[in-house]
Amino acid sequence: MAEKAILYDSSKCTACRGCQVACKQWNMNDEAIPTIENGVDSRNWGSYENPRDLSPATWLKMRFTEYEGGGKLQWLFTRQACMHCTDAACVRVCPNGSLYHNEATGFVEYNKDTCTGCGYCVDACPFSIPRSDRNLVFGNAKMDKCTLCTTQGLNRLDAGMEPACVKTCPPNALIYGDRADMITAGKARVSALRANGSPDAVLYGESELDGLHVMYVLEHSPEVYNLPVNPKVSAASIAWKDVIQPIGWILGGLTILGLGINFIIARKAKMNREQPVKKEEEK
Amino acid sequence: MVQEVERYKKPVRILHWVHAGAFTVLFLTGLVLFIPALGFLAQDSWTRIIHRVAAAVFIIAPLIYLPLDWKSSWKGIKEAFNWGMDDVGWLKAAPAYYFLADEEAMPPQDHMNTGQKMWWLMVIIFGVVFVITGIIMWVFKTVAPAALLQWMVLFHDIAFIATGVMFFVHIYLSVIHPLMRPTKTGAWSSMARGKVSAEYAKSHHAKWYARIAKGEEKKS
Ligand code: HEM
Ligand code: SF4
């Protein structure tokens, strides 16, 4: 299988949130509101954006942005869900490889059974995507995020289907296929938008973090949509994982080796010094 | 009977062992997140729960001890920061001593020798680093800015590497090193029973021994 990707076209999106629903339905992520019996976790907070944030059971939500530009008010939509980065911060910081890349598709999958609940990915993700319910006293937790429909037992891709969100999208704002084809399609759409009154249109994700596997066609600069213009793995993550930890492994190894060598040399030295004494005792 | 001198009072020894126990548990339950091959042990957060229980002991034990005996606590802490020329001499002479059993160049040492002091100083400094970074990652995990939490793991790890390595050296030099055997007179005895032989005190901690011999100082 070639490297795959989702292409989301913000200019075609109607924010019907069908993808949000399809995602929950396929992945069995029901979410009940504690205050209303059998209710869903959605309540009016003055915006169509609902629920307010991602959660362990909400892997995808539409984000609504009101934007004033060129003398008119625009209502802009984007997805908020895992971008399936090539240089994925979450994969870098995961202590035991519970988060990993699918070698074929390039998607970032995870094994929830082996997740330790450290929450490092939650803090490291440049898009602030992973979520976990955490017991604050004992710290036990499990991370969740978009699996791109590769959830164990519910794997649509292996079954030859497209992701649930893509399948459901009425205006075809979401399409899925080989990443190279998605880039071509995205670029063509950006050119068309630029020629038709959106000079700032961009394809987001072609080269960010060595290439995202979820790319966006945007009519404005990414920051208008609350997206990082230049997403990066944080300096703290790199200093920690690529400098401090390797130093730790080396120092630890050298110490044990050094103490072993010291033991052998010192024991001999001590025996050499004690020998004359022993001989005298024998007399 | 061998003449003996008291080196550590009982409360100090209890604190030492309680803290050492908590440290060992924290070390092992932290190690599983540090070495990827051991990561499967941390699955389902159970080592995290143990890490927190041990952290509570690690924090509370000294807090109970300090007010029990402010005076000797303060004296002990000052000791860690009291460095002089004999410490430089010790560092220079240490390789010959620890590798070749050559005591010649060892300058006289006080209640703690330079190596012990170094470890004790690290325990104080990195103990504080562990507690601050650990508590932020524990209690403020859901509210602190992500960037802060990431730096906290990094500093927690630096403390872990520094003290972890010295922890091995500490155990090795207290009970395993050929010159520390038999263990019943020296370092092990001082923490296990609180006493060392006068002979040992004289040869290993001459400055301190001179003071107790004059009766200026009884215990610490
Ligand atoms: C004294 C208070 C301490 C507290 C409150 C504390 C708390 C924490 C917390 C909250 C974490 C983050 C990961 C998790 O939630 O499991 C952690 C990780 C860790 N702790 Fe501690 N800890 C303490 C002391 C220590 C000590 C004494 C050691 C070792 C000697 C240690 C070694 C580690 C290691 C190695 C990690 C994993 C870091 C990594 O992922 O590389 N901790 N600790
Ligand atoms: S968007 Fe966040 S969770 Fe998704 S792959 Fe990138 S770093 Fe990981």
Side-chain angles (χ1 to χ4, degrees), chain A residues 80-131:
Chain A
Q80 202 185 347
C82 177
M83 306 295 276
H84 296 272
C85 322
T86 300
D87 184 5
C90 58
V91 173
R92 278 182 185 248
V93 299
C94 183
N96 68 347
S98 291
L99 277 151
Y100 52 88
H101 281 105
N102 180 312
E103 301 280 329
T105 59
F107 297 149
V108 176
E109 302 177 4
Y110 62 96
N111 183 343
K112 196 170 172 180
D113 288 340
T114 60
C115 172
T116 75
C118 65
Y120 297 160
C121 55
V122 176
D123 303 327
C125 175
F127 301 100
S128 181
I129 298 301
R131 292 288 184 277

Side-chain angles (χ1 to χ4, degrees), chain A residues 14-277:
Chain A
T14 64
C16 71
R17 294 177 295 187
C19 53
Q20 235 176 268
V21 176
C23 175
K24 276 185 167 291
Q25 187 189 28
W26 180 265
N27 293 296
M28 308 209 290
N29 277 334
D30 299 343
E31 200 165 26
I33 193 168
T35 49
I36 302 169
E37 208 181 336
N38 299 324
V40 237
D41 188 4
S42 65
R43 55 195 111 184
N44 189 348
W45 59 286
S47 168
Y48 277 100
E49 187 170 326
N50 220 334
R52 228 172 156 151
D53 193 13
L54 297 174
S55 78
T58 302
W59 298 347
L60 163 63
K61 78 178 256 283
M62 298 313 295
R63 182 188 270 154
F64 292 58
T65 313
E66 282 159 36
Y67 172 70
E68 266 186 84
K72 54 178 181 173
L73 181 68
Q74 293 185 50
W75 208 20
L76 304 174
F77 313 126
T78 35
R79 277 165 50 102
Q80 202 185 347
C82 177
M83 306 295 276
H84 296 272
C85 322
T86 300
D87 184 5
C90 58
V91 173
R92 278 182 185 248
V93 299
C94 183
N96 68 347
S98 291
L99 277 151
Y100 52 88
H101 281 105
N102 180 312
E103 301 280 329
T105 59
F107 297 149
V108 176
E109 302 177 4
Y110 62 96
N111 183 343
K112 196 170 172 180
D113 288 340
T114 60
C115 172
T116 75
C118 65
Y120 297 160
C121 55
V122 176
D123 303 327
C125 175
F127 301 100
S128 181
I129 298 301
R131 292 288 184 277
S132 64
D133 277 328
R134 174 168 293 271
N135 176 324
L136 257 191
V137 179
F138 294 108
N140 40 333
K142 283 278 183 193
M143 186 281 289
D144 271 305
K145 71 166 189 72
C146 155
T147 63
L148 228 145
C149 288
T150 60
T151 309
Q152 289 152 2
L154 297 170
N155 195 318
R156 289 178 63 93
L157 304 191
D158 279 0
M161 297 186 277
E162 35 181 24
C165 54
V166 175
K167 179 79 188 166
T168 205
C169 182
N172 284 335
L174 286 163
I175 52 173
Y176 169 79
D178 287 352
R179 186 160 187 274
D181 297 342
M182 296 300 109
I183 291 173
T184 313
K187 281 186 168 160
R189 180 67 185 160
V190 165
S191 310
L193 286 170
R194 283 188 182 166
N196 283 286
S198 295
D200 297 337
V202 284
L203 176 62
Y204 186 75
E206 185 187 357
S207 57
E208 280 79 1
L209 293 162
D210 295 345
L212 308 178
H213 292 87
V214 177
M215 294 177 290
Y216 294 170
V217 170
L218 303 173
E219 289 166 280
H220 303 276
S221 156
E223 63 190 330
V224 170
Y225 300 82
N226 269 316
L227 287 164
V229 177
N230 189 8
K232 283 258 178 308
V233 177
S234 71
S237 289
I238 291 176
W240 169 42
K241 280 286 159 177
D242 294 350
V243 182
I244 297 300
Q245 290 211 333
I247 289 178
W249 294 322
I250 294 168
L251 268 184
L254 286 181
T255 305
I256 291 170
L257 191 73
L259 294 182
I261 293 173
N262 175 271
F263 186 78
I264 296 166
I265 297 179
R267 197 169 62 148
K268 217 161 169 190
K270 187 188 175 197
M271 285 189 313
N272 286 345
R273 272 170 206 275
E274 281 173 354
Q275 244 155 25
V277 184

Side-chain angles (χ1 to χ4, degrees), chain B residues 10-143:
Chain B
K10 195 160 200 172
V12 182
R13 281 181 283 138
I14 293 175
L15 176 67
H16 174 267
W17 290 113
V18 170
H19 224 228
F23 184 90
T24 309
V25 174
L26 287 162
F27 178 86
L28 293 173
T29 50
L31 194 69
V32 296
L33 290 184
F34 190 81
I35 299 183
L38 297 178
F40 71 96
L41 290 168
Q43 201 168 307
D44 296 339
S45 300
W46 68 274
T47 50
R48 171 159 308 105
I49 297 167
I50 301 175
H51 200 80
R52 276 148 215 243
V53 172
V57 175
F58 189 91
I59 295 168
I60 292 167
L63 293 184
I64 293 179
Y65 176 79
L66 283 174
L68 285 184
D69 196 342
W70 284 113
K71 236 178 83 193
S72 57
S73 301
W74 180 237
K75 205 175 91 190
I77 292 168
K78 269 200 313 205
E79 204 176 346
F81 293 91
N82 183 11
W83 291 67
M85 276 323 280
D86 280 343
D87 294 312
V88 179
W90 187 94
L91 288 170
K92 283 192 187 141
Y97 177 70
Y98 286 106
F99 275 95
L100 307 172
D102 180 356
E103 290 182 29
E104 291 305 296
M106 274 291 189
Q109 295 292 304
D110 209 320
H111 174 252
M112 275 188 175
N113 70 35
T114 307
Q116 291 166 330
K117 223 156 47 182
M118 213 152 64
W119 173 228
W120 172 219
L121 184 64
M122 282 179 74
V123 167
I124 295 174
I125 292 173
F126 287 117
V128 173
V129 174
F130 271 130
V131 172
I132 293 174
T133 57
I135 286 183
I136 290 175
M137 289 191 288
W138 179 354
V139 183
F140 302 107
K141 178 77 181 174
T142 51
V143 290

